[in-house]
Amino acid sequence: MAKKPAAHATKPRPWTEMATHLVDVAMGRKPADLVIRNGRWVNVHSGEIIAGTDIAIAGGRFAYCGPNASHAIGQGTKVVDAGGRYLVPGLCDAHMHVESGMVTVTEFCRAVIPHGTTSMFIDPHEIANVLGLPGVRLMHDEAVAMPVNVHVQMPSCVPSAPGLEHAGAELTVADVAEAMSWENIIGLGEVMNFPGVVANDPVMSGEIAATVHAGKTVGGHYASRDLGLPFHGYVAGGPEDDHEGTRAEDAIARVRQGMKAMLRLGSAWYDVASQIKAVTEGGIDPRNFILCTDDSHSGTLVHEGHMDRVVRHAISQGLKPVTAIQMATINTAQHFRLEREIGSIAPGRLGDLLIVSDLAAMTIDEVYARGVRLAKGGKLDIDIPAYDYPKTAKNTVKLGKKLKAGDFDIAAPKGANEVRVRVIGVIENQAPTRALEADLPVEDGLVAMDRRNDICQIALVERHRGTGGVTNAFVSGFGYMGDCAMASSVAHDAHHIICVGTNKQDMALAVNRLGEVGGGVVLFSKGKELALVEMPIAGLMSDERAEIVAAKADKLTEAMRKMGCSLNNAYMQHSLLALVVIPELRISDVGLIDVTTFQKVDLFV
C-alpha cells in the first residue's frame, strides 16, 4: 500500500486561535480528532509516570490529559489503545547540523522521525560557509515545509575564525538582523568565535545584541579547556548554552554561570558519559542539562538512531529514564522559549508524542506529530516529497586546475636529511586534536611520510574561488597502512577539500574526482576508486534518499577499514581536521593553525 502524502505539513493554528476549541474538547462539548487510551503518561513537568491516562488531541494540539477521555470521543474520533505502554513527549535535538548527515532536511527528517525525533534545532552554518545567506534561506524554507518542528538557528560565525581561514561566503551583523525576522529562525547559532566575544569584537557583540533584541536564544560554543577569565568573559558576552564540554567540571562551570550544559552524543563525539557525572555523582540540578547530537552521520541515523540513541545512552550512564527524557524534551523547550508549544504532553502543546513499550531501552512503537501518526514499528508511515534545490546550490567545487601528485610535495629545508614537523593528532570520539611533533626522513629533498608510525599526509585544497591553492601538512591517528587517499569537500567550517593519504598519486585522483562530481567524499587506492558518496548540494549534501546515502557511507567505512583505519566513524574525524575554532592543531587555506594561540605556525619545528 502506498504511503499517504504529508498533507499535514502545515503547522496547526496558534494556540491563541484554538484555545476555545481546545476548551470545548476538554469539556466534552466537541469531539477530539484522536484519543489515545490506557497509557502510562511520562509527565516531564512533575517527573511522574502516571498509569491509566487518556490523551485527547484536537487540531494538532493536546486538549485533555487525564484519567478518562470518554467525553471527548465522538463519531469521527480515532481511538488508539496504548495497552499500558508509555506515552512520551516527542524528542527534541537541541543542537545539530543537518549537513553532517550528508542529506537534505527532508531526508534527515525521513531518517529520524521513526526514532522519535519530532523537534530539531538546526544550525545550517555548513551551507552558510559555502553559499552565504541564500543558502541559509534555502534550508530555512525547506525546514518550514516539514511535518515535524525544524527550527533554524541563524549561523553566527561565517567564517568561523576571521583571518585564519577564508570561507566561500561571509555573514554580517546586518544579515543576522535580517534573519531574525524570518518566521522559523529561533535564535543565533553557536558563537564559535569565543576570542572575538572576549575581545568585544563588534561583529560578535552586534550579532548577539541583534538576537537578544529579537527576544531569541544565543547559542554558545566555548571550545577551550580554560575555565578562568576568558570563560567568564565569554559568558558575560551573552551565549546561553554550550555543547563543547568534555569533562564534568565543564558542565558544572557552565550551569553555575547560568548557561545550559548541552551534552552531545553524535557519530563521533561521545561527551555524555563524562559530563553526566555532574548530575549522577555531583548532584547538580538536571533541569539545566540538555541532550543533543551535534553531528550525526547518515549511517548512524539509519542503523543506530538519533535522539532515542542519546536518551538510551544517558540512561545507561545512571540517569533515571524520566530525567533523561526531560533532558531531551522539556529542558530543550524551555531553553528556546517554546515550553507552550513543544517538549511535553500537556494541554495546548503540539500533539507530538511517542508510544513506547520499553522506557529504559527507548523502544518506540509509534510516533505522532501534530496529532498525526508519522511512523510505526520503526518505519515511516507517510511520504515526504523531495525538496528541489536550485542549480545555484550545486557545482560549487572550483579547483581552478587539475591536481597532480607534485602538488602534494613538501620541500625540506636545504641540506636536511631529517626534519622535525608538527603533526595533527586525531583523538578518537572527540572533536579536539593534539598538537604532536615527529621526526621524518627527507628523500630527494622532499619530506617523506611515515606510515609505520601512523603519520600520513594531509592537504587542504581551496575550492570556493578556484585559486588552485594547496596547504600540505601531516596527520596521525588514522592508521592507514596501504597506498590510499580519502578526500572530502565536507571540511568544517570553511568546507574546502581535505585529503588525507599515504600516496600522492591517489591524493590527486581523489581531489580531482570531487571536482568532477561536484563534491562529496571519495577513497582511492593504487589508482582505483573504492568508494564514493556524491554530495552535489553545496558539496555538503546528497540529493538521494537517506538509506541510499547510508549504504554508500557503509561502503566507504569498510574501504577505510581495509586500508587499516580502525577509528570509530573516521569520516567524521576527517571532516573536522580544518575546524580552526577547536584546539589544538588544525589546517586551513591560510596554513597550519595553533588553536591554543590562534596563530599560524610553521610546519617545521
Side-chain angles (χ1 to χ4, degrees):
M1 182 182 294
K3 293 176 180 177
K4 56 182 178 289
H8 53 279
T10 302
K11 288 185 179 181
R13 288 181 296 151
W15 172 83
T16 50
E17 296 178 12
M18 292 188 59
T20 56
H21 181 65
L22 296 177
V23 170
D24 284 340
V25 173
M27 294 297 295
R29 293 191 289 260
K30 290 183 179 178
D33 300 322
L34 171 69
V35 169
I36 300 177
R37 310 207 71 177
N38 189 26
R40 299 167 77 178
W41 180 17
V42 178
N43 192 308
V44 293
H45 291 286
S46 64
E48 302 171 282
I49 297 176
I50 306 167
T53 296
D54 288 359
I55 305 293
I57 299 175
R61 295 182 180 272
F62 296 116
Y64 171 88
C65 308
N68 188 346
S70 297
H71 61 283
I73 298 175
Q75 188 173 1
T77 303
K78 180 179 180 180
V79 179
V80 174
D81 186 0
R85 292 173 293 175
Y86 298 93
L87 306 179
V88 177
L91 303 179
C92 308
D93 191 345
H95 173 72
M96 54 165 282
H97 308 285
V98 165
E99 303 97 318
S100 294
M102 302 177 167
V103 295
T104 61
V105 177
T106 300
E107 289 306 312
F108 202 101
C109 288
R110 287 186 69 257
V112 304
I113 287 171
H115 294 290
T117 302
T118 60
S119 295
M120 294 179 278
F121 295 82
I122 72 171
D123 180 352
H125 73 212
E126 319 303 352
I127 200 169
N129 271 274
V130 179
L131 299 176
L133 193 61
V136 178
R137 186 75 208 205
L138 284 171
M139 291 189 72
H140 169 278
D141 292 350
E142 184 182 11
V144 171
M146 294 299 101
V148 290
N149 316 304
V150 184
H151 298 284
V152 180
Q153 293 177 289
M154 176 60 187
S156 62
C157 299
V158 179
S160 62
L164 298 180
E165 65 179 356
H166 299 97
E170 182 177 350
L171 295 181
T172 66
V173 175
D175 291 329
V176 169
E178 176 189 332
M180 288 301 146
S181 66
W182 298 354
E183 65 173 303
N184 202 34
I185 293 291
I186 197 68
L188 189 65
E190 52 184 317
V191 180
M192 294 175 286
N193 186 3
F194 54 92
V197 175
V198 171
N200 281 327
D201 175 84
V203 173
M204 289 295 92
S205 59
E207 290 183 359
I208 292 171
T211 305
V212 174
H213 180 73
K216 300 183 179 183
T217 306
V218 179
H221 173 117
Y222 183 80
S224 173
R225 294 168 71 89
D226 183 355
L227 297 176
L229 291 182
F231 170 69
H232 288 269
Y234 182 75
V235 179
E240 299 172 69
D241 58 57
D242 189 40
H243 57 274
E244 287 297 333
T246 59
R247 308 166 297 176
E249 56 262 43
D250 294 331
I252 292 170
R254 286 153 174 77
V255 169
R256 284 177 176 170
Q257 294 294 319
M259 301 179 85
K260 302 295 183 185
M262 288 188 175
L263 316 186
R264 63 182 172 185
L265 179 72
S267 293
W269 328 134
Y270 285 56
D271 299 325
V272 174
S274 57
Q275 293 187 89
I276 206 64
K277 292 177 181 177
V279 175
T280 58
E281 297 178 9
I284 300 298
D285 192 335
R287 291 180 299 173
N288 296 303
F289 287 74
I290 293 172
L291 297 175
C292 69
T293 63
D294 198 359
D295 296 293
S296 290
H297 184 271
S298 58
T300 302
L301 300 177
V302 171
H303 302 310
E304 299 179 45
H306 190 230
M307 284 306 297
D308 59 329
R309 170 177 176 259
V310 185
V311 171
R312 202 160 36 237
H313 175 70
I315 294 170
S316 75
Q317 298 304 312
L319 278 185
K320 294 179 180 178
V322 173
T323 305
I325 291 168
Q326 287 172 322
M327 292 182 182
T329 57
I330 190 64
N331 292 9
T332 306
Q334 289 175 336
H335 178 57
F336 287 102
R337 302 164 176 84
L338 290 174
E339 184 182 355
R340 290 204 61 118
E341 286 290 295
I342 62 172
S344 67
I345 299 173
R349 280 67 172 180
L350 292 174
D352 304 340
L353 85 159
L354 319 175
I355 298 180
V356 175
S357 51
D358 186 327
L359 201 60
M362 281 304 290
T363 305
I364 300 171
D365 299 338
E366 298 183 36
V367 179
Y368 290 80
R370 305 171 190 173
V372 177
R373 195 180 74 188
L374 301 188
K376 182 178 181 180
K379 302 294 183 182
L380 204 63
D381 232 9
I382 56 148
D383 179 52
I384 309 175
Y387 193 84
D388 188 25
Y389 273 76
K391 290 182 179 179
T392 54
K394 302 177 181 179
N395 300 314
T396 61
V397 176
K398 302 166 185 173
L399 299 179
K401 66 179 183 180
K402 188 170 183 177
L403 276 291
K404 299 178 181 178
D407 290 308
F408 304 101
D409 287 343
I410 300 176
K414 190 173 182 179
N417 294 316
E418 185 179 81
V419 293
R420 189 164 187 82
V421 299
R422 291 182 169 86
V423 179
I424 302 170
V426 172
I427 304 174
E428 187 167 24
N429 292 329
Q430 286 195 6
T433 63
R434 293 189 180 95
L436 307 177
E437 295 181 2
D439 294 316
L440 295 180
V442 175
E443 300 172 0
D444 298 324
L446 301 177
V447 183
M449 293 174 254
D450 185 3
R451 70 177 73 174
R452 289 179 302 174
N453 290 307
D454 191 20
I455 297 174
C456 55
Q457 196 161 324
I458 179 172
L460 184 142
V461 180
E462 198 281 330
R463 68 106 159 173
H464 297 305
R465 297 171 181 84
T467 65
V470 180
T471 303
N472 288 299
F474 295 96
V475 65
S476 176
F478 286 101
Y480 292 130
M481 296 302 294
D483 287 338
C484 65
M486 190 173 92
S488 170
S489 57
V490 178
H492 306 271
D493 279 326
H495 297 293
H496 295 291
I497 289 177
I498 284 185
C499 187
V500 172
T502 61
N503 179 285
K504 295 176 185 176
Q505 287 78 17
D506 285 331
M507 293 176 75
L509 288 170
V511 173
N512 290 332
R513 182 66 168 137
L514 294 186
E516 294 170 3
V517 300
V521 57
V522 66
L523 179 65
F524 271 80
S525 177
K526 297 181 179 179
K528 181 181 178 182
E529 181 180 301
L530 301 186
L532 170 66
V533 184
E534 304 95 328
M535 300 185 220
I537 302 172
L540 303 173
M541 297 178 286
S542 171
D543 50 8
E544 295 184 295
R545 291 286 189 176
E547 53 269 28
I548 295 174
V549 178
K552 291 183 177 182
D554 289 345
K555 185 178 180 181
L556 173 71
T557 300
E558 182 57 30
M560 293 174 74
R561 287 198 185 105
K562 288 181 179 179
M563 291 298 106
C565 181
S566 60
L567 277 177
N568 174 53
N569 223 309
Y571 163 74
M572 297 294 285
Q573 305 275 180
H574 177 110
S575 71
L576 258 67
L577 293 172
L579 188 51
V580 293
V581 293
I582 297 183
E584 295 177 341
L585 190 64
R586 305 282 169 170
I587 191 171
S588 85
D589 62 311
V590 170
L592 205 57
I593 306 298
D594 181 336
V595 191
T596 61
T597 62
F598 288 92
Q599 298 289 327
K600 176 183 174 181
V601 293
D602 196 77
L603 175 62
F604 301 107
V605 179

